[in-house]
Amino acid sequence: MPFIDDQMTSNAILILGAISTVVAAWGAIFSPQKFWHLNTETRNQLLALKAEFEFFKMSDDFDSKKDEITMRTFEKLQAILRNHNENWSSNRKDEAENS
């Protein structure tokens, strides 16, 4: 059985160390699970808002209340996006402080 020389051992350790550093940095910088949850929550809120608007569109008095419903829907949309951006910024700030 051939033996691995010291140079190969050193190179293997160096490569494994570099890979583990990259993997740790990826987790620390991007935290994909936390941002996946945030994106899923925002997507669900947007789908609920769309369903609510579609429901109002089907009502008999939509034409008379179109401006009010559209403005209310737009304000809810802005609140959802503002909340998403604030949570994203907060998560990034937490990631930076913890790394």
Side-chain angles (χ1 to χ4, degrees), residues 1-96:
M1 176 174 179
F3 292 101
I4 299 175
D5 64 2
D6 289 337
Q7 185 66 35
M8 284 185 72
T9 303
S10 297
N11 289 342
I13 291 171
L14 183 64
I15 290 170
L16 291 174
I19 291 171
S20 67
T21 301
V22 169
V23 169
W26 174 267
I29 292 172
F30 295 108
S31 186
Q33 184 178 13
K34 189 181 280 188
F35 290 106
W36 181 83
H37 287 292
L38 175 62
N39 288 336
T40 301
E41 179 182 335
T42 301
R43 178 183 177 273
N44 290 339
Q45 291 173 352
L46 292 172
L47 289 174
L49 182 62
K50 179 183 176 189
E52 181 181 316
F53 185 74
E54 293 293 326
F55 177 78
F56 286 133
K57 258 178 45 175
M58 299 295 191
S59 67
D60 293 333
D61 61 346
F62 176 74
D63 289 333
S64 63
K65 296 181 178 181
K66 185 189 308 186
D67 292 338
E68 176 189 339
I69 291 171
T70 302
M71 183 56 72
R72 190 170 58 226
T73 302
F74 179 73
E75 288 170 355
K76 287 181 179 182
L77 172 64
Q78 291 300 317
I80 291 169
L81 296 177
R82 187 178 325 106
N83 184 42
H84 176 86
N85 289 333
E86 288 170 359
N87 286 334
W88 188 88
S89 294
S90 175
N91 287 342
R92 292 296 295 146
K93 189 181 295 182
D94 291 344
E95 294 288 328

